[in-house]
Structure formats: C-alpha cells, structure tokens
Amino acid sequence: MMTQTNLPGFRRCMLVCILLIGFYAANAQQPGAALPSQPGYYRMPIGEAEVIAISDGTLPLNLHTLLHEAKPGELDKLLHQNFLDSVVETSITAFVVKSAGQLILIDAGCGSFFGPSLGKLQQNLLAVGIHPEDITIVLPTHLHADHVGGLVKDGNRAFPNATVYISQPEADFWLNAANKQTANKRAQPFFDGAQAAIAPYQKAGKVKTFQPGSQLFPGLSSAPSFGHTPGECFYILESKGQKLLFWGDIVHAGAVQFANPGITIDFDVDLAGAKATRKKAFEEAAKNGYWIAAPHLSFPGIGHLKASGNHYEWIQANYSALTVNE
C-alpha cells in the first residue's frame, strides 16, 4: 500500500484506500447501478448488558497486496474455498455497550478519513436512537484512523460529552509527533490521523490514559494485545456469567488468518508481535468459548471461535430477533 512517495504518509494511505474503493465499484456492479444501503446495526445481550454492533461501512482490500507470509498458492486456495476474490470488502465496525447506565462506544470508525463507502457510524447510531451527545465514554482499541477517525467532524469533537480512554503505551507512541520519524513504514502513515482525531479531545481535557490490564468500569476491563500497534488493547465485558472480548485488529482477513494465524498484514506495526498475539488469542478463545467481537470480520463480527484440527473456524452469532428489549 505504501506507494506514491511524493505524498505525505497519511494522505498516501487515504489515496490508496480511495483507489481501492474505485476499483471495487468499477468491478462489482454495472455502471449506473444504485444499491440501497444495508441495515447498519445488530443488537445482542451479554448478561444484563447490551452490545450493539454499529457499521461504519466497508472498505475493499486487496489481500494479495497486503498479506504476508502465506505459502505459494495458499491465499488463492483459501479465498476460493470461501467464495471470495482477492479484493475483499472488509467491514469496519464499532460497538456500543449499554451497561450500568453508561453508553460506551468501543472504536469510532473512519469518519471522513477514508472515502464515501465509510463514515456511516453517526447515521447508524441515530438509527438505534443514540445521539452523539449520549455517548460519554469512548474506548479505542488502538489509534489507527479507521478506529478513531469518527471521533471528529469538521475538526471538532463528534461526541461532545465523551471522554476518550487510551492505553498509555498507545498514547505514548501515536501522540508523540517525534515518533513518526523513527517508526517503520507500516506505522508512519497513521500518525497524522491519530493526532488529528484525538487533538480536539486533548484540548477539551477529555482524554484519559490507563495501563493495559486494568479494570476500567464495572464489568469492563482491559488486556494488552500488543503487536498490531504498540499499545492495542482488548476490552473484556463480563455480566451474569457471560463474557465477550472486543478483539480490535488481531484479525483482518478471517478466511485466511483463521486457517493460518501466522499470516500477517501490512497494517501490523510489529509483524512478529501481531502474529504471537493472534495465535494466543485464537487458542484461548477456542478453549474457553467466550463471545468475540471483531471489527473487521463480516458485519456484525460477533461470534465464537472453534478449533478444528490445525486451524480455526469462525462461528457467527445466530441471528436473533427475539432478544432485544425496546
């Protein structure tokens, strides 16, 4: 993805994403064909809490270009087995947790950072009756632009009453401008977006940091998941004996990485660290059987992981229209 070297890193990343969107549109539908919007939310209970998956849209990604460490022919084989082409629409999903009178937003989508197929978080929140001012807590799993771009609108706070909680190592890495010069090429394009998204909240005194592994709120704790970024965290929701892990970006291409967790992606700041975190997370999720919420798996991205021989299978949550209390 790191081409067009005459552009600054963040603009370069945006350009590539927009080009991918154009490629997909040209190849996926007939000229002039208009497709209606898909429903953009899904609710489910976790004990006494409610989790709502909120779609920010989808982004076409060329997995042949982005994925690393696959064996010759492995990508084509796995994609074909899953009825996918090499360019795959990847979901970008945020999650609302309703618990103990709080409205907590986990990740915030892209906002206006990555083109017209994204930035649908606000309209889908409104569709479930949640207004921007209702959100009081935002927990980004990490500070890549597709997880924090939706925090801002026209340079202002999109969630005016929210405090943003960021793990200390994540804040230390992305919010220090000097780190951009020494970071590797996979990280450099994302510094400007992270700083632009967080700056209005810093100015308003609405940013707090925490140590990974700490309890944040009743029933909601954090756990380190370093590798994809230096301070990425899982968030763990527990209520009435049920448990759900918000995974962040340990998996981008489920059709490929569940079959081979050793395959990495260009967005991983630390390829080896991301691989180790993914393998451990997959093993623990399959062993313990808790719920998973993953922002880049096909929407709504909520399900379980099952071990199957030397690989894993994703079991999407069974669709339910009976478990929501209005």
Side-chain angles (χ1 to χ4, degrees), residues 61-90 247 250-266 268 275 278-279 282 296-298 305 308 310-314:
L61 295 179
N62 188 327
L63 298 184
H64 273 290
T65 302
L66 294 173
L67 295 178
H68 303 278
E69 302 179 66
K71 299 173 184 176
E74 185 177 15
L75 290 184
D76 287 331
K77 178 181 177 181
L78 291 172
L79 292 170
H80 179 74
Q81 287 174 350
N82 285 272
F83 302 95
L84 296 170
D85 295 321
S86 59
V87 176
V88 177
E89 269 188 275
T90 298
W247 252 359
I250 67 164
V251 57
H252 290 79
V256 173
Q257 291 174 304
F258 287 136
N260 183 352
I263 292 177
T264 57
I265 195 165
D266 211 34
D268 293 334
K275 182 193 303 185
R278 179 166 43 259
K279 288 182 175 180
F282 285 7
H296 296 311
L297 295 182
S298 188
L305 201 62
S308 181
N310 60 356
H311 66 280
Y312 297 90
E313 294 181 16
W314 175 248

Side-chain angles (χ1 to χ4, degrees), residues 93-117:
T93 306
F95 301 92
V96 172
V97 176
K98 288 186 174 183
S99 179
Q102 297 270 29
L103 274 178
I104 300 170
L105 180 64
I106 296 179
D107 289 327
C110 295
S112 61
F113 284 19
F114 287 135
S117 70

Side-chain angles (χ1 to χ4, degrees), residues 9 33 38 81 83 122 130 140 145 167 170 197 228 245 256 281 301 311 314:
Q38 299 279 24
Q81 287 174 350
F83 302 95
Q122 292 274 359
I130 298 174
S167 85
E170 189 75 353
H228 178 66
L245 260 67
V256 173
H311 66 280
W314 175 248

Side-chain angles (χ1 to χ4, degrees), residues 181-259:
Q181 303 305 317
T182 56
N184 64 38
K185 66 179 183 179
R186 294 184 301 279
Q188 286 177 347
F190 294 99
F191 278 87
D192 293 348
Q195 292 165 21
I198 302 302
Y201 295 86
Q202 290 177 307
K203 185 177 180 180
K206 292 285 191 175
V207 173
K208 293 186 178 181
T209 57
F210 63 88
Q211 291 301 322
S214 60
Q215 184 82 25
L216 299 175
F217 306 101
L220 193 62
S221 59
S222 64
S225 57
F226 306 158
H228 178 66
T229 65
E232 183 176 34
C233 278
F234 295 146
Y235 295 113
I236 306 162
L237 175 65
E238 297 181 272
S239 178
K240 291 293 183 180
Q242 293 197 50
K243 180 177 179 178
L244 183 150
L245 260 67
F246 297 92
W247 252 359
D249 279 14
I250 67 164
V251 57
H252 290 79
V256 173
Q257 291 174 304
F258 287 136

